[in-house]
Structure formats: structure tokens, C-alpha cells
Amino acid sequence: MKTLGLIGGISWVSTVDYYTQINKGINERLGGLNYSECIIHSFNYQKIKDNNDTDDWDSTLRMVVSASKNLEKSGAKGIVLCANTMHFIADRIQKEIDIPIIHIATATALEIKKVGLKKIGLLGTKFTMEYDFFKSKLNEQGIEALIPAKTSDKDFVHNTIFEELGKGIIQEETKKRYLSIIEDLKNNGAEGIIAGCTEIPLIIKESDIDLPYFDTALIHGKSAIEFALSE
């Protein structure tokens, strides 16, 4: 089994889900008392958020590269960035390390391709919705990403990720607004919805909507499991 290097704390809430899911998945495959061999570097999320607020991705890059190199030195054979937004700098990180990054958007795009969908609603931080790092991976598989048309809706999703979901706060009114935004995406042609932030599945479950739902954290975790168990 290959050792995984998890970079978490972005947020700690979703990192717990990653750790749980990967260990359960390994055990389902191998049985007995077999669980994941992994090492976790958990960031103080406030430092990452401060960088985000000032668009200081270079500082974040230095932090994550340092953590990745430490994980590599400690025996990790692959890196799992436990957040969608962090993949904005995934390609730059990859150039600085000698082990692969298991890319969340690539894994998600391949999963959507399997079911043949062409237009997908994408929800996440404004970085994920507006930058190209996630959408480009979808485009490579012939998939068009649709994001909320209203600036107020994009702001709402972005802000609640940081101010509520990332803190483990789940509110019914927030859920209703998310469902309304998803309905608008559906009306604009979305054939499915990507939970493009690892915190979104805390508030929106597959059973809440009538479209195919792609939980990126779940998909990413499965991809990490496949990597860990590959020859």
C-alpha cells in the first residue's frame, strides 16, 4: 500500500471526512484491520484565508510546497490536497515535488464523463467558480461548466463556505438558498451539479436534489484509495 500525504485544515471539517472516507474505503477493499497508511499536514485555516483575501497565492504556494516536501520526505508517495480551491495552485506545486498530486478536478471530470453528461452546474468558492483550474479539467473531457449567473448568488455560496460550512455551522435558511441556486442552474441547462467545495456536501446531500450530484470530496477520496492500492 502506498502512503498518502494529506494536506488538510482547509478546512479541518472536510479533512475529517477525507480521513474517515479513505480509511473506510481501504478497509472495505482489504478487510480485517487494514486501514490507510497516511500522513496529515493540517494548516491553520486563518493563514490561508488571510492570503485568499489579499489574493496572495504566492505565500500560500510556499506554505503548501513546504508541507508537500515534508510529506514526501516522510514517505508519502502521493499528495491529496483536501480542498478544491487549493487546486488553483496544484500545477505549480507539482513542479516543485517529485511525487504526484491526485487532482480533484481530473477525478471529477472522469466520473462525469462516465455517465455522459455535457453541461454541469459548478458550485464552490469564487476561485473555483470563476478561475479556470477546475473548469479546464472539465473542458478537456468535453464538459461545459455552468456557474450561478447572479453575482449575489456567487457571493452567497462563497461567503457561507467560509463563514458557516467551514466552521461546521449548518443552517436551514442557507440550505434553502443553495437549493434555489441549484434550481436556477438546472433551468439554465445543467444536467448535474458538482459540489465543488469539500464543505458543500455538509449541507446539500444527493437526496436533496433531482439531478446527478457529484461530491468532489467523495470522488477525490475514491481516487486516492485507488492510488494507494495501485501497483
Side-chain angles (χ1 to χ4, degrees):
M1 186 192 308
K2 296 187 182 77
T3 299
L4 297 171
L6 275 59
I7 294 183
I10 43 180
S11 69
W12 72 267
V13 178
S14 60
T15 306
V16 171
D17 288 340
Y18 267 88
Y19 183 74
T20 301
Q21 177 199 335
I22 290 171
N23 277 285
K24 283 185 174 180
I26 293 288
N27 186 254
E28 287 171 4
R29 295 280 291 275
L30 300 183
L33 293 175
N34 289 291
Y35 296 99
S36 173
E37 294 183 7
C38 63
I39 312 165
I40 302 175
H41 180 106
S42 189
F43 278 110
N44 174 2
Y45 199 11
Q46 187 63 56
K47 293 181 179 178
I48 301 292
K49 179 63 163 55
D50 290 345
N51 290 341
N52 287 346
D53 289 344
T54 58
D55 204 30
D56 186 4
W57 286 99
D58 287 342
S59 291
T60 297
L61 176 68
R62 288 192 291 271
M63 292 167 64
V64 181
V65 166
S66 176
S68 299
K69 287 182 175 180
N70 286 337
L71 291 170
E72 184 176 356
K73 289 176 184 177
S74 298
K77 301 303 181 184
I79 296 294
V80 181
L81 303 172
C82 300
N84 280 274
T85 300
M86 198 57 61
H87 285 76
F88 175 55
I89 54 173
D91 291 343
R92 295 173 68 189
I93 299 166
Q94 186 65 80
K95 293 176 181 178
E96 302 293 332
I97 61 176
D98 296 321
I99 57 176
I101 293 173
I102 303 163
H103 202 294
I104 195 168
T106 300
T108 302
L110 291 173
E111 197 68 22
I112 295 168
K113 186 179 180 180
K114 287 180 186 177
V115 294
L117 304 186
K118 295 298 184 182
K119 287 189 177 183
I120 293 289
L122 173 62
L123 296 178
T125 66
K126 288 205 289 188
F127 308 112
T128 299
M129 291 188 286
E130 295 179 350
Y131 293 177
D132 285 335
F133 71 94
F134 200 107
K135 291 184 284 189
S136 65
K137 301 297 184 184
L138 297 172
N139 289 337
E140 287 172 9
Q141 302 300 327
I143 302 162
E144 178 185 353
L146 304 177
I147 63 174
K150 299 175 185 175
T151 299
S152 59
D153 286 341
K154 286 186 285 190
D155 288 344
F156 178 81
V157 173
H158 180 88
N159 291 334
T160 54
I161 285 168
F162 289 106
E163 300 303 326
E164 296 180 22
L165 306 184
K167 298 177 181 179
I169 300 169
I170 308 299
Q171 301 194 84
E172 189 60 31
E173 286 303 311
T174 298
K175 180 173 183 175
K176 288 179 181 177
R177 178 77 178 273
Y178 268 78
L179 292 174
S180 175
I181 293 169
I182 289 170
E183 188 65 22
D184 286 345
L185 288 168
K186 178 182 175 181
N187 291 337
N188 286 332
E191 302 168 318
I193 298 295
I194 297 173
C197 177
T198 49
E199 281 82 20
I200 289 177
L202 299 173
I203 197 165
I204 299 296
K205 308 297 183 184
E206 186 174 14
S207 58
D208 292 323
I209 64 175
D210 60 356
L211 292 173
Y213 187 53
F214 299 92
D215 178 341
T216 53
L218 186 63
I219 293 167
H220 199 202
K222 288 179 179 178
S223 186
I225 291 166
E226 292 300 326
F227 174 86
L229 296 180
S230 64
E231 295 295 334

